[in-house]
Structure formats: structure tokens, C-alpha cells
Amino acid sequence: MSDTPFGFGLPPEEPENGDEGKKKGNQGGQGGPNPFGFPGMGLPGGAGGPGGPDNPFAAMFGAMNPNDLGAAFQQLGQMLSYEGGPVNWDMAKDIARQTVAQGTADGVKDSSVGMAEKSAVEEAVRLADHWLDGVTSLPSGATTAVAWSRAEWVEATLPVWKELVDPVAERVGVAMGSVLPEEMQAMAGPLLGMMRSMGGAMFGQQIGQAVGTLAGEVVGSTDIGLPLGPAGKAALLPLNIEGFGKDLSVPADEVRLYLALREAAHARLFAHVPWLRSHLLGAVEGYARGIKVDTSKLEDVVGRLDPTNPEQLQEALQGGMFQPQDTPEQKAALARLETALALVEGWVDAVVHEAAKPRLTSADAMRETMRRRRASGGPAEQTFATLVGLELRPRRLRDASRLWASLTDARGVDGRDGLWEHPDMLPTASDLDDPDGFVHREQLDFSEIDKMLGEAAQRREQGDQGDQGSRGDADGEGEPKK
């Protein structure tokens, strides 16, 4: 057995003499090893050091000075003592809020929404809903229209992020426990607990940064095609809408109205297609179940892990430890998810364009801008993809949009929107390859199929009861038992 228990690397050597050790570590004015990777702890006075400005712990601890050290170590203790689920969501929320407070890369800081902006958003959503009445049979799904700051967006959307991330984080937690030899796991209870706490904290930190950064990019609650906000609320972010329209040479009220159309269209779909939300989140979870953790990378990290340097595990998470399994089941799960996202975004794109084209001169330009934006994704979406192994982008948005437009021409608004009545009625990935074949295919009446299945089940139940009665008569041969 090696001299290092459980294969973990030793922490930095403790100096035999404290004063001499300090002199050794600071020769030439250089700081000693940074024990926790916190910024400002490498050089005297807090300048430079391994932490550096890019260290993600900076979002949590800020600039290190003697007055901050107590709070920093208190947060470190909270990180290592965490005993909740696979993600430390309290930490995620705190870091997301702090990331928002720092402002975006272009220097724009978050700000509270004023009454004038709230009124403008409410009026835009009201007018957007009125326009949508003429292009879809689905009634309004927005009971309220709200204008959010970036911080309010973080607060409102975290519950759905939890549903998206927890399944994958749970797999990582299990993998972290499995990399130790089985005979050692019984002896390593405290160590495994520390690893789980660190894993939950690292995930919380990364997700908090991704969500906080995404809050500086989104314009509403449905930008990624999933219903991130509370049901019945059409939400827009006035500060981000201003940034979205800055380089478009389009009047601000037109930009706001076009984005309100998209938000209101999503709200209709998610409000009046009751199975859709669970279908999408279930597709994400199904894909997550097929993700495998790169245990070789994890074993390498754990084998060299210095308990005083949680940055190592942080770097492993940033580098991505997730690989989709190359199995037919996983490929099918990915196809279902991508098709579902494309169908939602394609329907919204087609319906919004139909409503906006006759009324907004900039409709074509804003449609193309939104398509490119959804196709490329921002840095926060890319961070999320690295962490969870999944890109929430509708790769076939244009194909789906063309299919929905063709359905409108062939079957009318009611025939097109009627396909949302049942998940089995929706187009599949192969239908996106052959939209004409799907559009002109004879429409199935699923209400009749459901009725037939119900009648068949009832007949089976009656038959089973009859068989039980016959067996009872046969056992007693028609005579009462004595």
C-alpha cells in the first residue's frame, strides 16, 4: 500500500520552523503556495498569485484583504460542511447574484426596473397577445406580464435549473464514490463525505456562474426554449432588450414588441399543451441518464487530489468529465430532445413571423437575428454544455419552422395547432427530413384510438373477472364446500 492514504497527494509540506518556513516561501518577494486557490493569497498585499483574476473563486470571495479572510474561511467551511443534494444550490444562488452584480463584459450593471419600463412591457405583451389571436388557435397563456431585472431573473428561474442539473450532478456524486477501491470505501466515510460536499460546492459554483452570466444575455424567460419562469408569466428584461437592439438600427419599441411576441407565443404553448413541459424536461433527464462520467479523468483527479486545493476538482469540472454513451438508446434520447426543442422553437418562429410580418418593417431582420442567436448560443450556454454535456439549442429550427408554415398552408391554423393535442401526433426527426410527406399524410384521430384502447381494456377486465368466476365454480364443482 502506498504511503499516501487512498492515493491522495500530500498537502504542501509544513515547515519545521514557522519563521524559517515563511522566509523560504517568500524568497525574492514571491508568495508561497496558494493553499486554497483564492485570489490575492499568493503575494503579500494580495496582489497576483495563483488565484489570479480568472479564478472562479473570485466570484465568491471577492478581492482578498485581511478584513475579508474571516468571511472567506467561513464560506470555505460552509462549502466543506454542505450535506444537501448533488448541487449546493444556496451557493449557486449566491454566486449567480454576485456575478450579476459585477455587470456584463461591456460594463453594463444590473439595475432595478422602473415604472415606465414595467408599463412598456405590460403594453407590449398586451398588444402581442392581441396580434397572436389572429394567427393561432391557442388562447393567451400569460395571465400577467412582468419586467425583471437580471437578479430577479436568477431568482425566478433557479427552480427549473435545479430540475435540469440535478440528474447529471447525481451521477457525478455516485462516480466520485466509486473511484475508490471497494475495500477502502467503508473506511473512507468522512473522506467521501468531504468529496461529496466539494462536488456539490463545485457544481454550485459553476452553475451559479453560468446562470449569472446567462442573466446578462437573455431577454425573457423562454430564451432557451424551456419554460424557465413561473407558469402564466410573460417576462421580459428591459436592460437586456436595450442591449439586444443596440446594433440593429431598429426602433426600441419595435424590438420590445417583437420579443414580447416570442415570449407570449411560448406562454400560449406551455399553458395550453399540458404535457409539453414535462415532455421537454423528461427528454433532458432521459438524455442525462445516458451520460457517462469519464471515470479515468476523475480517478486521475482524485488520485492526485490535494485536500487543501479544491481548485483541482474545479478544473476537472471545467474541462468536462461527461461523455454521451454511444448507444442506440442514447442516440434516440438525443434525437427526441433536439426534435422537441426544434418543434417548440420552430412553431414560435413561424407563428411570430406570421403575426409580425404585416405590422413590423423590421420583422425579417429580427427573425434572422434571433435564429442566429439561438443557433450559436452565448458563453453561458457553452459553460452549461461543458458542465452537463448537453447543448440546449434547436439545431433544426429552420426545418421545423418551414414544416409548421407548410402545415398552416395545408391544414389551416386549427389543423396545425391541433397536432399539439398529443405527443404522438407531433412530427419526428424523420418528418423534418421529409416535411411534404408529413404535411400531406392523412391526419390521425387520436381521440378514436384512445376510445378503442379504453374499450379494449374494459373488455379484458370483464374477461378476467369471468375467468375467475369460472375457476371458482370448477374448484367447487358447483357444490358448496363442506
Side-chain angles (χ1 to χ4, degrees), residues 28-351:
Q30 295 299 315
N34 183 343
F36 295 101
F38 298 154
M41 294 180 68
L43 295 176
D54 295 329
N55 188 331
F57 280 99
M60 181 166 59
F61 294 115
M64 282 289 109
N65 60 58
N67 294 329
D68 292 331
L69 286 176
F73 282 104
Q74 183 180 8
Q75 289 204 33
L76 177 66
Q78 292 172 352
M79 179 180 79
L80 294 179
S81 63
Y82 173 71
E83 296 180 350
V87 178
N88 188 332
W89 286 103
D90 290 335
M91 179 175 286
K93 178 180 175 180
D94 289 345
I95 291 180
R97 292 292 300 263
Q98 290 169 27
T99 302
V100 164
Q102 291 171 3
T104 49
D106 57 4
V108 178
K109 299 279 189 179
D110 192 23
S111 60
S112 300
V113 180
M115 289 304 300
E117 292 172 316
K118 291 180 180 178
S119 298
V121 166
E122 290 172 358
E123 175 60 22
V125 173
R126 184 198 64 77
L127 183 56
D129 251 343
H130 176 67
W131 288 0
L132 289 172
D133 284 339
V135 296
T136 174
S137 61
L138 299 180
S140 173
T143 55
T144 56
V146 293
W148 283 341
S149 66
R150 293 167 179 170
E152 289 171 324
W153 183 90
V154 168
E155 294 276 354
T157 62
L158 271 179
V160 178
W161 288 116
K162 188 175 188 298
E163 290 186 64
L164 289 172
V165 175
D166 272 352
V168 177
E170 183 68 41
R171 294 182 63 80
V172 177
V174 172
M176 288 177 71
S178 68
V179 296
L180 290 178
E182 193 171 327
E183 63 273 12
M184 292 184 179
Q185 292 187 21
M187 300 185 293
L191 183 60
L192 290 175
M194 184 188 77
M195 290 173 63
R196 282 192 293 269
S197 296
M198 289 176 64
M202 296 305 177
F203 253 109
Q205 184 185 63
Q206 291 292 298
I207 292 299
Q209 287 182 320
V211 170
T213 305
L214 194 58
E217 302 172 4
V218 296
V219 294
S221 70
T222 55
D223 281 34
I224 66 169
L226 297 173
L228 294 178
K233 283 190 177 180
L236 294 175
L237 283 71
L239 183 62
N240 292 355
I241 290 175
E242 182 181 346
F244 176 86
K246 186 168 56 176
D247 300 324
L248 291 180
S249 301
V250 176
D253 58 340
E254 283 199 23
V255 175
R256 186 189 307 111
L257 188 50
Y258 186 84
L259 297 176
L261 279 167
R262 288 183 53 83
E263 185 75 6
H266 277 103
R268 289 183 182 228
L269 201 53
F270 290 119
H272 299 291
V273 182
W275 53 265
L276 182 58
R277 183 182 187 278
S278 59
H279 179 75
L280 284 169
L281 295 180
V284 173
E285 185 175 353
Y287 180 80
R289 281 197 302 268
I291 290 175
K292 62 181 179 181
V293 178
D294 186 351
T295 53
S296 62
K297 180 180 290 188
L298 189 57
E299 286 175 358
D300 183 56
V301 172
V302 171
R304 294 183 294 103
L305 186 64
D306 176 357
T308 65
N309 188 4
E311 219 175 8
Q312 288 179 342
L313 186 57
Q314 144 95 37
E315 290 169 357
L317 286 174
Q318 282 183 317
M321 294 188 297
F322 312 107
Q323 299 175 346
Q325 291 183 352
D326 190 17
T327 64
E329 292 79 12
Q330 181 65 354
K331 290 178 180 178
L334 179 60
R336 283 195 300 272
L337 177 58
E338 290 186 341
T339 301
L341 287 171
L343 290 175
V344 169
E345 289 292 280
W347 183 89
V348 168
D349 179 78
V351 166

